Amino acid sequence: RPLPADPVPDGKVVLGTQVAIVDGVPKVVNELGDPPAPTGSEVDAERDRRIGLPLPIVLTTPDRTFSVNMDADALRNMNGLASGAILAKVLGSTTAEEFITFENDTINLSPDDLISMGLQVQARIKAVTFAGRDLKNLSPIPADFAIDSRWP
């Protein structure tokens, strides 16, 4: 029975394994190499994950902060609310809409609040999407592409 292989150093991967005689004793020997560069699909998955994180919304009239869900259903709903709020403003309405936050609180949002929320959601999606594109434009894509400092 051969001796086990040496531990794999950080930043390396095992490309292959063989049994060799080392100092007169059979031992498992790993062929080491660099990990493959991340793919654009991996960056896209990280982009989508980050877009989906809860988003803090800051409103200034009155001063309020709450978080919103950013899954596909929530994005669809917020888009509809923001679009409806634009129409309400055009028609002169100031009627508030009830909204359920990420924290599961029910709050009333004016048309201006809903438009502000929609713009903040749009800004998050745009910033994260462009950060992902910038990472995919690098050659090679950095192995640490998913660290927070590379994303907004």
Side-chain angles (χ1 to χ4, degrees):
R1 184 171 194 198
L3 295 174
D6 294 334
V8 178
D10 287 340
K12 295 291 182 182
V13 295
V14 176
L15 301 176
T17 302
Q18 63 181 348
V19 175
I21 303 298
V22 178
D23 296 329
V25 178
K27 181 177 181 176
V28 175
V29 177
N30 291 328
E31 178 187 349
L32 302 176
D34 294 325
T39 65
S41 295
E42 290 172 299
V43 174
D44 289 346
E46 181 64 13
R47 175 204 63 210
D48 293 346
R49 185 190 75 79
R50 287 177 178 273
I51 286 173
L53 295 173
L55 175 66
I57 299 294
V58 178
L59 301 176
T60 57
T61 53
D63 289 336
R64 292 186 281 175
T65 300
F66 56 91
S67 293
V68 297
N69 222 339
M70 292 286 287
D71 62 27
D73 289 339
L75 290 173
R76 180 200 64 225
N77 294 342
M78 288 184 289
N79 184 39
L81 287 168
S83 297
I86 292 168
L87 292 173
K89 280 198 61 127
V90 168
L91 297 173
S93 175
T94 58
T95 303
E97 293 285 340
E98 281 191 319
F99 182 80
I100 301 172
T101 67
F102 177 77
E103 297 85 5
N104 207 32
D105 296 326
T106 302
I107 59 175
N108 289 316
L109 298 175
S110 71
D112 286 335
D113 294 336
L114 292 167
I115 293 167
S116 176
M117 180 174 68
L119 291 171
Q120 291 175 62
V121 167
Q122 175 193 15
R124 151 73 84 74
I125 293 169
K126 181 179 179 179
V128 172
T129 298
F130 276 83
R133 186 188 75 176
D134 291 345
L135 283 165
K136 291 193 305 185
N137 285 342
L138 298 175
S139 183
I141 295 170
D144 65 351
F145 73 92
I147 63 171
D148 287 344
S149 62
R150 292 194 179 272
W151 297 87

